[in-house]
Amino acid sequence: MPELPEVETIVRTLAPRLLGRHIHFSEFLAPLVLRYNRDPIAERLAGQAIRSIERRGKFIVFILDRGVMVIHLGMTGKLLFDSGRTPYTRAIFSCDGLTLFYDDIRQFGSIEWCPDMPDRITRLGAEPFDITPDELFRATRNRRTSIKALLLNQTAVRGLGNIYVDEALWRAGIHPRRIAAKLTYNRAGALHKAMLDVLTEAIDCGGSSISNYVDATGRSGSFQERHKVYGREGQPCQRCGLAIRRITVAQRGTHYCPKCQR
DNA sequence: ATCTATTCCTGGCTGC
DNA sequence: TGCAGCCAGGAATAGA
């Protein structure tokens, strides 16, 4: 389940190997991966140089000579160099002798080509590393939904998913069902710090390897070893010792400490 | 406008 | 042991 730290790690392994190369051939083996755009993507990509590769939230954006290619890895998407075709290979890119395979078991991921940056990218909220504590606080005003739902929906900040929302809320001592508009200025500041800390540490660890996540060179991450709540139902909270509880918030499995998070 | 519920998909797990 | 049935979840979409 690639979230911001995993996607950042993948982009960092992609960029040095692909920048300046040309996509001289691409092949799409599953129609579902192209569901968001009817453009003949293989034609559009043919011969184009990769000028830069950027992360926007959980999206990977390839800036090309003409237009952009936007990849979202969904739940189980992987980009792998020279891994060979598997039953789950959904797309293949040949780039001046280097082959990039896009594998995705559950097919929640997507690939599209667009002449300009598509709306679903430009509409996203701020990068966590760009937003200020004050801006985060203001983004919670008048929002009647839970803080967890707000962080998941990518409109205030982009890139957090189920794992890092749970981890950030634990660090900030905020209950996942707390109404966003009820956060005090100080609590929002604590959340801002917790979010940056957990993302920074996770990137340093190469992400969390759940569901066999690996980067483009096949390396696993190790941040799952440092999770405080995610996947730790029933285990003691490392701050107070009480058992971590699992509930449902915003239709998502949610892990928290009933004592530390009010 | 804002929020909630549903949908997509399939390997792996649970329980009978 | 075998198998039906359920579960996980990001984001688009429909509905309230």
Side-chain angles (χ1 to χ4, degrees):
Chain A
M1 38 197 79
E3 303 180 25
L4 189 152
E6 292 77 33
V7 177
E8 178 66 27
T9 303
I10 290 166
V11 167
R12 289 181 186 185
T13 55
L14 291 176
R17 292 167 177 82
L18 287 176
L19 289 188
R21 288 181 188 258
H22 300 79
I23 304 174
H24 63 83
F25 178 74
S26 60
E27 188 179 3
F28 295 86
L29 297 92
L32 202 55
V33 75
L34 300 172
R35 79 198 94 128
Y36 296 124
N37 197 321
R38 308 235 173 262
D39 273 294
I41 183 167
E43 275 176 44
R44 300 282 192 254
L45 297 177
Q48 293 210 52
I50 300 169
R51 293 214 173 140
S52 68
I53 304 175
E54 301 172 2
R55 182 187 56 73
R56 302 289 183 93
K58 298 174 218 172
F59 291 85
I60 302 171
V61 181
F62 289 70
I63 310 292
L64 307 168
D65 289 328
R66 278 185 300 102
V68 298
M69 176 169 68
V70 176
I71 299 183
H72 196 293
L73 299 173
M75 289 293 299
T76 52
K78 296 178 186 178
L79 287 165
L80 291 162
F81 287 115
D82 300 317
S83 59
R85 190 186 292 217
T86 74
Y88 309 113
T89 300
R90 313 300 185 189
I92 302 173
F93 304 91
S94 298
C95 308
D96 296 330
L98 192 57
T99 307
L100 183 66
F101 293 84
Y102 171 76
D103 281 31
D104 187 6
I105 291 175
R106 292 187 207 171
Q107 302 191 80
F108 274 28
S110 65
I111 303 178
E112 67 175 320
W113 178 88
C114 297
D116 303 295
M117 203 65 83
D119 286 350
R120 62 198 197 117
I121 300 295
T122 58
R123 275 200 296 256
L124 291 170
E127 271 303 319
F129 294 108
D130 292 338
I131 196 169
T132 65
D134 198 64
E135 287 167 340
L136 181 62
F137 173 69
R138 274 186 278 135
T140 63
R141 295 306 88 185
N142 302 317
R143 301 303 296 266
R144 298 283 156 197
T145 192
S146 66
I147 185 61
K148 170 145 185 173
L150 181 63
L151 293 174
L152 282 177
N153 76 12
Q154 312 295 303
T155 57
V157 290
R158 63 194 191 215
L160 298 186
N162 206 36
I163 295 174
Y164 296 103
V165 167
D166 282 5
E167 292 297 319
L169 290 174
W170 180 82
R171 289 185 186 221
I174 299 169
H175 194 290
R177 284 201 176 120
R178 170 132 295 244
I179 299 303
K182 289 191 172 180
L183 284 187
T184 64
Y185 187 83
N186 284 344
R187 285 287 94 194
L191 175 58
H192 180 268
K193 180 180 189 312
M195 174 177 74
L196 294 192
D197 286 350
V198 73
L199 293 176
T200 301
E201 288 173 34
I203 291 170
D204 288 344
C205 289
S208 303
S209 280
I210 307 278
S211 311
N212 302 317
Y213 155 78
V214 289
D215 69 23
T217 65
R219 280 176 59 103
S220 300
S222 63
F223 192 71
Q224 70 282 358
E225 297 163 14
R226 299 203 206 171
H227 288 176
K228 305 298 187 188
V229 284
Y230 187 86
R232 296 191 69 248
E233 182 186 12
Q235 297 176 45
C237 170
Q238 290 179 22
R239 193 185 283 134
C240 77
L242 211 65
I244 298 302
R245 195 171 291 171
R246 189 179 191 281
I247 58 175
T248 297
V249 182
Q251 290 81 46
R252 295 288 171 261
T254 298
H255 316 73
Y256 77 108
C257 171
K259 186 174 176 187
C260 298
Q261 296 172 257
R262 301 286 183 177

CSV table of all heavy atoms in Angstrom, one decimal, chain A residues 167-191:
chain,number,residue,atom,x,y,z
A,167,GLU,N,-0.6,6.6,12.3
A,167,GLU,CA,0.6,6.8,13.0
A,167,GLU,C,0.8,8.3,13.5
A,167,GLU,O,1.2,8.6,14.6
A,167,GLU,CB,1.8,6.4,12.1
A,167,GLU,CG,1.9,4.9,11.9
A,167,GLU,CD,2.1,4.1,13.2
A,167,GLU,OE1,2.9,4.5,14.0
A,167,GLU,OE2,1.5,3.0,13.3
A,168,ALA,N,0.4,9.2,12.6
A,168,ALA,CA,0.5,10.6,12.9
A,168,ALA,C,-0.5,11.0,14.0
A,168,ALA,O,-0.1,11.8,15.0
A,168,ALA,CB,0.3,11.5,11.7
A,169,LEU,N,-1.7,10.5,14.0
A,169,LEU,CA,-2.7,10.8,15.0
A,169,LEU,C,-2.2,10.3,16.4
A,169,LEU,O,-2.5,10.9,17.4
A,169,LEU,CB,-4.1,10.3,14.6
A,169,LEU,CG,-4.7,11.0,13.5
A,169,LEU,CD1,-6.0,10.4,13.1
A,169,LEU,CD2,-5.0,12.5,13.8
A,170,TRP,N,-1.6,9.1,16.4
A,170,TRP,CA,-1.1,8.6,17.7
A,170,TRP,C,0.0,9.5,18.2
A,170,TRP,O,0.0,9.8,19.4
A,170,TRP,CB,-0.5,7.1,17.5
A,170,TRP,CG,0.0,6.6,18.8
A,170,TRP,CD1,-0.7,6.0,19.8
A,170,TRP,CD2,1.4,6.6,19.2
A,170,TRP,NE1,0.1,5.6,20.8
A,170,TRP,CE2,1.4,6.0,20.5
A,170,TRP,CE3,2.6,7.1,18.6
A,170,TRP,CZ2,2.6,5.8,21.2
A,170,TRP,CZ3,3.7,6.9,19.4
A,170,TRP,CH2,3.8,6.3,20.6
A,171,ARG,N,0.9,9.9,17.4
A,171,ARG,CA,2.0,10.8,17.8
A,171,ARG,C,1.5,12.1,18.3
A,171,ARG,O,2.0,12.7,19.3
A,171,ARG,CB,3.0,11.0,16.7
A,171,ARG,CG,3.8,9.8,16.3
A,171,ARG,CD,4.8,10.1,15.3
A,171,ARG,NE,5.5,8.9,14.9
A,171,ARG,CZ,6.9,8.8,14.6
A,171,ARG,NH1,7.6,9.9,14.8
A,171,ARG,NH2,7.4,7.7,14.2
A,172,ALA,N,0.4,12.6,17.7
A,172,ALA,CA,-0.2,13.9,18.1
A,172,ALA,C,-1.1,13.7,19.3
A,172,ALA,O,-1.6,14.7,19.8
A,172,ALA,CB,-0.8,14.5,16.9
A,173,GLY,N,-1.5,12.5,19.7
A,173,GLY,CA,-2.5,12.3,20.7
A,173,GLY,C,-3.9,12.7,20.4
A,173,GLY,O,-4.6,13.3,21.2
A,174,ILE,N,-4.3,12.5,19.1
A,174,ILE,CA,-5.6,12.9,18.7
A,174,ILE,C,-6.4,11.7,18.3
A,174,ILE,O,-5.9,10.8,17.6
A,174,ILE,CB,-5.5,13.9,17.5
A,174,ILE,CG1,-4.7,15.1,17.8
A,174,ILE,CG2,-6.9,14.2,16.9
A,174,ILE,CD1,-4.3,16.0,16.6
A,175,HIS,N,-7.6,11.6,18.8
A,175,HIS,CA,-8.5,10.5,18.5
A,175,HIS,C,-8.9,10.6,17.0
A,175,HIS,O,-9.3,11.7,16.5
A,175,HIS,CB,-9.8,10.6,19.4
A,175,HIS,CG,-10.6,9.3,19.3
A,175,HIS,ND1,-11.3,8.9,18.2
A,175,HIS,CD2,-10.7,8.3,20.3
A,175,HIS,CE1,-11.9,7.8,18.5
A,175,HIS,NE2,-11.6,7.4,19.7
A,176,PRO,N,-8.9,9.5,16.3
A,176,PRO,CA,-9.2,9.6,14.9
A,176,PRO,C,-10.6,10.0,14.5
A,176,PRO,O,-10.8,10.5,13.4
A,176,PRO,CB,-8.9,8.1,14.4
A,176,PRO,CG,-8.8,7.3,15.6
A,176,PRO,CD,-8.4,8.2,16.7
A,177,ARG,N,-11.5,9.9,15.5
A,177,ARG,CA,-12.9,10.3,15.2
A,177,ARG,C,-13.2,11.8,15.6
A,177,ARG,O,-14.3,12.3,15.4
A,177,ARG,CB,-13.9,9.4,16.0
A,177,ARG,CG,-14.1,8.1,15.4
A,177,ARG,CD,-15.4,7.4,15.9
A,177,ARG,NE,-15.6,6.2,15.2
A,177,ARG,CZ,-15.8,5.0,15.8
A,177,ARG,NH1,-15.7,5.0,17.2
A,177,ARG,NH2,-16.0,3.9,15.2
A,178,ARG,N,-12.1,12.4,16.1
A,178,ARG,CA,-12.3,13.8,16.5
A,178,ARG,C,-12.8,14.7,15.3
A,178,ARG,O,-12.2,14.5,14.2
A,178,ARG,CB,-11.0,14.4,17.1
A,178,ARG,CG,-11.0,15.9,17.3
A,178,ARG,CD,-10.4,16.2,18.6
A,178,ARG,NE,-11.3,15.7,19.7
A,178,ARG,CZ,-12.0,16.5,20.5
A,178,ARG,NH1,-11.8,17.8,20.5
A,178,ARG,NH2,-12.8,16.0,21.4
A,179,ILE,N,-13.8,15.5,15.5
A,179,ILE,CA,-14.3,16.4,14.4
A,179,ILE,C,-13.2,17.4,14.1
A,179,ILE,O,-12.6,18.0,15.0
A,179,ILE,CB,-15.6,17.1,14.9
A,179,ILE,CG1,-16.7,16.1,15.2
A,179,ILE,CG2,-16.0,18.1,13.8
A,179,ILE,CD1,-17.0,15.1,14.0
A,180,ALA,N,-12.8,17.5,12.8
A,180,ALA,CA,-11.7,18.3,12.4
A,180,ALA,C,-11.8,19.7,12.9
A,180,ALA,O,-10.9,20.3,13.5
A,180,ALA,CB,-11.6,18.3,10.9
A,181,ALA,N,-13.0,20.3,12.9
A,181,ALA,CA,-13.3,21.7,13.3
A,181,ALA,C,-13.1,21.9,14.8
A,181,ALA,O,-12.9,23.0,15.2
A,181,ALA,CB,-14.7,22.1,12.8
A,182,LYS,N,-13.1,20.8,15.5
A,182,LYS,CA,-12.9,21.0,17.0
A,182,LYS,C,-11.5,20.9,17.4
A,182,LYS,O,-11.2,21.1,18.6
A,182,LYS,CB,-13.7,19.9,17.7
A,182,LYS,CG,-15.2,20.1,17.6
A,182,LYS,CD,-16.0,19.1,18.5
A,182,LYS,CE,-17.4,19.5,18.5
A,182,LYS,NZ,-18.2,18.6,19.4
A,183,LEU,N,-10.5,20.7,16.5
A,183,LEU,CA,-9.1,20.8,16.9
A,183,LEU,C,-8.7,22.2,17.3
A,183,LEU,O,-9.1,23.1,16.7
A,183,LEU,CB,-8.2,20.4,15.7
A,183,LEU,CG,-8.1,18.9,15.3
A,183,LEU,CD1,-7.1,18.7,14.3
A,183,LEU,CD2,-7.8,18.0,16.5
A,184,THR,N,-8.0,22.3,18.4
A,184,THR,CA,-7.5,23.6,18.8
A,184,THR,C,-6.3,23.9,18.0
A,184,THR,O,-5.7,23.0,17.3
A,184,THR,CB,-7.1,23.5,20.3
A,184,THR,OG1,-6.0,22.6,20.4
A,184,THR,CG2,-8.2,23.1,21.2
A,185,TYR,N,-5.9,25.1,18.1
A,185,TYR,CA,-4.7,25.6,17.3
A,185,TYR,C,-3.5,24.8,17.7
A,185,TYR,O,-2.7,24.3,16.9
A,185,TYR,CB,-4.4,27.1,17.5
A,185,TYR,CG,-3.4,27.6,16.6
A,185,TYR,CD1,-3.6,28.0,15.3
A,185,TYR,CD2,-2.1,27.8,17.1
A,185,TYR,CE1,-2.7,28.5,14.5
A,185,TYR,CE2,-1.1,28.3,16.3
A,185,TYR,CZ,-1.4,28.6,15.0
A,185,TYR,OH,-0.4,29.1,14.2
A,186,ASN,N,-3.3,24.5,19.0
A,186,ASN,CA,-2.2,23.8,19.5
A,186,ASN,C,-2.2,22.3,19.0
A,186,ASN,O,-1.2,21.7,18.7
A,186,ASN,CB,-2.1,23.8,21.0
A,186,ASN,CG,-1.6,25.2,21.5
A,186,ASN,OD1,-1.0,25.9,20.7
A,186,ASN,ND2,-1.8,25.5,22.8
A,187,ARG,N,-3.4,21.7,19.0
A,187,ARG,CA,-3.5,20.3,18.6
A,187,ARG,C,-3.2,20.2,17.1
A,187,ARG,O,-2.6,19.3,16.7
A,187,ARG,CB,-5.0,19.8,18.8
A,187,ARG,CG,-5.3,19.5,20.2
A,187,ARG,CD,-4.7,18.2,20.7
A,187,ARG,NE,-3.4,18.5,21.4
A,187,ARG,CZ,-2.5,17.6,21.7
A,187,ARG,NH1,-2.7,16.3,21.4
A,187,ARG,NH2,-1.4,17.9,22.3
A,188,ALA,N,-3.6,21.2,16.3
A,188,ALA,CA,-3.3,21.2,14.9
A,188,ALA,C,-1.8,21.3,14.7
A,188,ALA,O,-1.2,20.7,13.8
A,188,ALA,CB,-4.1,22.3,14.2
A,189,GLY,N,-1.2,22.1,15.6
A,189,GLY,CA,0.3,22.3,15.5
A,189,GLY,C,1.0,20.9,15.8
A,189,GLY,O,2.0,20.6,15.2
A,190,ALA,N,0.4,20.2,16.8
A,190,ALA,CA,1.0,18.9,17.2
A,190,ALA,C,0.8,17.9,16.1
A,190,ALA,O,1.7,17.1,15.8
A,190,ALA,CB,0.3,18.4,18.5
A,191,LEU,N,-0.3,18.0,15.4
A,191,LEU,CA,-0.6,17.1,14.3
A,191,LEU,C,0.4,17.4,13.1
A,191,LEU,O,0.9,16.5,12.5
A,191,LEU,CB,-2.0,17.3,13.8
A,191,LEU,CG,-2.4,16.5,12.6
A,191,LEU,CD1,-2.2,15.0,12.8
A,191,LEU,CD2,-3.9,16.8,12.2
